[in-house]
Amino acid sequence: MIVNLEFQTLRQTTPTTETDLVFGQDVVTPEIPDSDGGIHAVLPTMSAHGVLNYSANVLRKFCADLPSSFNSTRHSGHLYNSNYFNSLPLKETETVPWGVGIELQTGLNLPHKQLLPTKGTPSILWGAGLRTDGTDYLTQYVQLIPTKVLTLSLWQSTGGIPSGELVTQYVQLLPTRYAIFMPFGGTSALSHSFYAKLKPSIKLKSGWFLPWQRAKHPNSGHAVVPIVPPPHEGYVPSPDINFICKNVKMSAQAVLLHFGVDCHTPPVVIPARKVYFIVNEVHLTRVSDNQEIQILSASVSTDKSSWCWSFDASVPYSQLSLVDPQDAPVEVELTINGTAFRALVESYETVETFGKRTVSIKGRSITALLDTPYAHERAYLEPTQIYTRQFCENELLRTDVVQGYSLDWSLVDDLGWLVPENTISYQQSSPVKAMKKIVEDGGGYLNSHPSQAKFLVKPLYPFAPWEWGGIAVDKQLPIDVVTSYKHRWASKPTYNSVIVTGELVGVQCLVKRAGTAGDISAPMFSSPLITSTGVARVKGISILAAGGKQAIETLEMPLLNDVGVIYPNELIEVTRDGSGAWRGLVSSTSLNVSRDRDGGIKVVQANELERFYG
Amino acid sequence: MANLWSEFTKLLAPLPQVVGDVVTKQDDVYYIQLAGGGTMKCVGEKNYQEGDRVVVQQGRILFKSVSLPYSELEV
């Protein structure tokens, strides 16, 4: 028998356990009363064909029902021996009419104790629980703590969005502050300076030297013995060439080629005489209008540790208006026997003694305008590779100082020495202080021209003292011209070597006195400006020359016209009776002008000389 | 006459800077072999290693230096 089963409607559950199965034709069946019977049939294997129609356009909601009201757990291991551990309270509200009870006091036999009323409506299912005893409970699960995922973000976290104020789901993030590294700092405008390798040419002075003037008749009343000129023998070349003299820096237009025995200009030699006639002439004028200023006394002085000349003078009180420096320093010129000294009067004081009022004025060289208080101090770092002479000339061209100053450089080389970039640096320095530091680190000293707007840069010791015996001196003086002579012994430790070194760049040199073992070393000298062997040599000489057995010789003498002013760094030879000569290097110079009771002018030149023994 | 101010400042001048190599160290105390000869003890705030060339002044390491070209000059 084949039975076709057609399932056209969905299955519906019936409240009863009975199912009506109708097989065959639809017949009118009589009403069958309810009964508890059933049908027992043995049916062959059934095959069914079904068609399920449904619409795919119907949106079906995805839903997920949590099958559990507990948090996820993990295996607790064997650390806990408890049936249940502390579980999270279900977030369901339940009204608890009573709060936490208070422990009964010992000794009271009360079955109940008054409970505190619950504050508000707590929404917790369980109150505070007591810690379980590990021996009473066994649980296999412990509470998990949500894992905090580490995130790496380029943006910092921001605060929450203020509720009710913003209508966007995003808030503006603040960018992360990165540390910015800049290899270069702030820069300043370059000073406009130009360096010319070739100087302007100087016209050669062509002239003729005639040993004999044109003859003329003798004046009336005079009888002159005629002098017969010697016959001119002509030029006789000599093959005696002397190369033992050291190289001396000089202008290219003034190079003298000597092929004889002596290759130096002969020194100024003052003969010893019984009487020296001196006529002093001193003038003090104001430079602005060339106004003559009366003078009672005056003095100018300088030394190798000073960068300028000091000026002092005493004038009558009536001359105060001419030199009053209240508005600005007054430039004056003091002329002593034809040698001019220019100075800026910067201060004065009045002195009244027994009804006589005088004014004492003081000042410095005109180069003082490049120092405080006239020039500003600044901090500076030289960013380029530069020669030290060029650096000093740039200091003279600073825009905040008076212009018109020049430099006479004779230290190490015509250009100084080369210094790498970012090496020269100074703090709170005027142009004078900046140059002084550079020059002193290079073994030299800074000084000023006595009358011109010019700085002088010279080595402390043009020649080492142990070489003075073979070098031509600048002036030779007999002890007869010295009116006062003072000898002061000033011995210092003797060294024969010294380490001169740079710091981050440059060279490290052992400067050793020739002919010695170099085993007695002077304290090391370290400076960032020691960048070449040339400057290391000059600095080493200045250190070694300052030590040893030596004396300070002070000479006072009138200002002879043949001698003139003896400036610092001149090598002087003093002779006594034609023998017993000694040599010294001038370290300081001062000229003192005074008046005698009869009004005569007296000029005394005082010099200190460094004299070395061995 | 010499500059009195210059002579006075020489008396108050700090000790000059010197250059040397770190020989040994104990915490912040360093033993320096000076380039000009001699050994001295000084302190340094940074961590310098043995063999480092440093610049020292007043018993304190100022900064680390480098080895410079060496030469001998006779004067």
Side-chain angles (χ1 to χ4, degrees):
Chain A
M1 184 182 65
I2 298 173
V3 177
N4 295 325
L5 299 179
E6 184 177 1
F7 301 93
Q8 294 182 350
T9 58
L10 294 175
R11 176 179 176 272
Q12 296 181 349
T13 58
T14 58
T16 64
T17 59
E18 296 178 355
T19 301
D20 293 334
L21 298 177
V22 180
F23 302 99
Q25 296 181 351
D26 187 12
V27 294
V28 179
T29 57
E31 183 179 359
I32 301 174
D34 296 336
S35 65
D36 296 331
I39 298 175
H40 301 276
V42 178
L43 299 177
T45 303
M46 298 178 64
S47 62
H49 300 277
V51 177
L52 180 61
N53 295 324
Y54 70 96
S55 175
N57 293 327
V58 176
L59 177 63
R60 290 170 175 79
K61 179 182 179 183
F62 289 95
C63 60
D65 296 330
L66 296 176
S68 174
S69 58
F70 298 93
N71 291 335
S72 59
T73 61
R74 65 175 175 85
H75 194 269
S76 62
H78 302 285
L79 299 178
Y80 301 96
N81 187 18
S82 175
N83 291 328
Y84 295 96
F85 198 73
N86 186 23
S87 62
L88 292 177
L90 293 175
K91 295 182 179 177
E92 297 180 1
T93 60
E94 180 176 340
T95 302
V96 179
W98 304 101
V100 179
I102 301 175
E103 183 180 1
L104 292 174
Q105 297 180 359
T106 305
L108 296 179
N109 188 15
L110 296 177
H112 301 284
K113 184 182 170 98
Q114 182 179 2
L115 297 177
L116 295 176
T118 304
K119 295 180 180 178
T121 303
S123 57
I124 57 175
L125 182 59
W126 306 96
L130 298 176
R131 183 175 181 179
T132 58
D133 189 356
T135 57
D136 297 336
Y137 304 96
L138 175 62
T139 180
Q140 294 181 347
Y141 301 94
V142 295
Q143 182 183 1
L144 290 180
I145 301 174
T147 303
K148 292 183 179 178
V149 180
L150 297 177
T151 59
L152 178 62
S153 174
L154 294 176
W155 303 91
Q156 294 179 345
S157 60
T158 60
I161 304 174
S163 60
E165 297 180 357
L166 300 176
V167 294
T168 177
Q169 295 179 353
Y170 302 95
V171 296
Q172 183 178 3
L173 296 179
L174 298 176
T176 305
R177 294 182 178 178
Y178 289 99
I180 301 175
F181 171 72
M182 299 181 66
F184 300 97
T187 60
S188 58
L190 292 173
S191 59
H192 298 283
S193 61
F194 302 93
Y195 167 71
K197 188 175 181 180
L198 300 177
K199 295 180 179 179
S201 59
I202 302 174
K203 183 180 180 181
L204 291 175
K205 295 180 180 179
S206 59
W208 298 93
F209 172 73
L210 299 175
W212 304 97
Q213 295 179 344
R214 182 177 297 177
K216 68 174 185 178
H217 292 288
N219 297 329
S220 59
H222 290 78
V224 179
V225 178
I227 299 175
V228 180
H232 182 62
E233 299 178 353
Y235 173 69
V236 180
S238 173
D240 189 7
I241 301 176
N242 186 358
F243 290 106
I244 63 173
C245 296
K246 275 200 167 184
N247 179 27
V248 178
K249 302 298 180 184
M250 60 179 64
S251 173
Q253 286 79 25
V255 175
L256 302 176
L257 298 178
H258 297 276
F259 296 100
V261 176
D262 189 1
C263 57
H264 289 287
T265 304
V268 176
V269 179
I270 307 301
R273 296 190 177 120
K274 293 182 179 179
V275 178
Y276 294 92
F277 289 97
I278 303 169
V279 178
N280 294 319
E281 188 176 4
V282 178
H283 297 283
L284 180 64
T285 56
R286 190 167 65 180
V287 174
S288 59
D289 54 359
N290 205 24
Q291 177 73 34
E292 182 85 16
I293 303 172
Q294 298 179 21
I295 184 174
L296 300 176
S297 64
S299 68
V300 289
S301 63
T302 189
D303 59 87
K304 290 166 70 173
S305 58
S306 302
W307 57 268
C308 65
W309 289 75
S310 299
F311 168 78
D312 297 286
S314 178
V315 299
Y317 187 79
S318 59
Q319 306 294 307
L320 177 60
S321 59
L322 298 177
V323 294
D324 190 353
Q326 291 188 8
D327 296 333
V330 179
E331 183 175 351
V332 296
E333 181 175 282
L334 176 67
T335 305
I336 304 176
N337 294 356
T339 303
F341 299 90
R342 284 204 176 187
L344 297 173
V345 177
E346 299 176 292
S347 64
Y348 75 95
E349 60 183 11
T350 59
V351 180
E352 183 171 356
T353 305
F354 295 109
K356 182 180 179 182
R357 303 176 69 182
T358 59
V359 179
S360 176
I361 56 177
K362 294 183 179 180
R364 296 179 290 176
S365 300
I366 55 177
T367 52
L369 290 178
L370 270 66
D371 191 27
T372 53
Y374 312 110
H376 297 150
E377 294 182 333
R378 70 171 184 177
Y380 182 71
L381 170 65
E382 179 58 46
T384 60
Q385 179 176 262
I386 194 172
Y387 282 94
T388 50
R389 175 175 180 170
Q390 185 181 1
F391 174 82
C392 292
E393 289 178 341
N394 289 345
E395 287 294 318
L396 303 181
L397 297 174
R398 275 170 52 172
T399 56
D400 57 344
V401 299
V402 180
Q403 302 294 309
Y405 288 86
S406 61
L407 202 62
D408 186 358
W409 185 283
S410 59
L411 180 63
V412 180
D413 199 349
D414 289 340
L415 298 177
W417 64 97
L418 191 62
V419 178
E421 62 273 9
N422 297 327
T423 301
I424 300 177
S425 175
Y426 60 79
Q427 175 187 357
Q428 299 300 319
S429 295
S430 62
V432 169
K433 291 179 181 176
M435 291 189 297
K436 191 170 185 290
K437 172 65 175 171
I438 299 291
V439 172
E440 290 181 348
D441 279 5
Y445 72 98
L446 182 69
N447 207 315
S448 300
H449 193 279
S451 61
Q452 300 177 10
K454 181 185 295 184
F455 285 96
L456 310 177
V457 177
K458 297 181 179 180
L460 274 175
Y461 296 92
F463 304 100
W466 49 89
E467 295 180 342
W468 288 355
I471 296 175
V473 297
D474 295 306
K475 291 184 174 73
Q476 189 182 70
L477 304 176
I479 197 66
D480 303 81
V481 301
V482 176
T483 57
S484 173
Y485 170 55
K486 185 172 67 175
H487 171 87
R488 178 164 60 92
W489 183 254
S491 181
K492 297 178 182 177
T494 303
Y495 302 107
N496 54 21
S497 67
V498 63
I499 290 285
V500 180
T501 179
E503 290 181 352
L504 296 178
V505 295
V507 297
Q508 180 179 358
C509 297
L510 172 65
V511 183
K512 185 176 68 174
R513 180 173 172 180
T516 64
D519 52 347
I520 306 175
S521 183
M524 175 195 309
F525 177 77
S526 169
S527 170
L529 297 179
I530 304 299
T531 56
S532 68
T533 56
V535 64
R537 175 187 296 274
V538 176
K539 185 63 182 180
I541 291 176
S542 68
I543 295 174
L544 297 179
K549 298 178 180 179
Q550 55 185 283
I552 303 298
E553 313 284 358
T554 304
L555 307 179
E556 290 184 4
M557 67 192 85
L559 185 58
L560 301 174
N561 292 332
D562 295 338
V563 178
V565 179
I566 300 175
Y567 295 101
N569 242 22
E570 289 186 355
L571 187 62
I572 305 296
E573 184 178 63
V574 180
T575 60
R576 185 186 295 271
D577 298 332
S579 62
W582 56 269
R583 295 185 174 187
L585 191 68
V586 179
S587 60
S588 70
T589 298
S590 67
L591 296 174
N592 297 297
V593 179
S594 60
R595 288 185 180 273
D596 297 333
R597 290 185 177 180
D598 55 357
I601 297 176
K602 180 181 179 182
V603 178
V604 176
Q605 176 173 222
N607 299 102
E608 284 187 344
L609 283 71
E610 295 178 81
R611 179 182 177 184
F612 289 84
Y613 296 83
Chain B
M1 186 175 182
N3 191 333
L4 293 180
W5 173 251
S6 176
E7 298 296 323
F8 177 68
T9 54
K10 287 180 182 177
L11 298 176
L12 302 179
L15 293 175
Q17 295 182 6
V18 294
V19 178
D21 298 328
V22 176
V23 179
T24 57
K25 57 174 294 187
Q26 294 177 355
D27 296 332
D28 289 340
V29 180
Y30 296 85
Y31 294 86
I32 308 297
Q33 177 70 40
L34 298 180
T39 306
M40 66 176 297
K41 184 173 71 174
C42 59
V43 296
E45 298 177 353
K46 292 185 178 180
N47 185 21
Y48 299 100
Q49 303 299 323
E50 295 180 359
D52 284 349
R53 174 147 294 188
V54 293
V55 177
V56 182
Q57 187 178 31
Q58 302 278 94
R60 186 174 294 275
I61 297 178
L62 298 181
F63 53 87
K64 182 180 178 181
S65 181
V66 296
S67 296
L68 300 175
Y70 179 81
S71 59
E72 290 188 6
L73 307 174
E74 282 197 350
V75 296

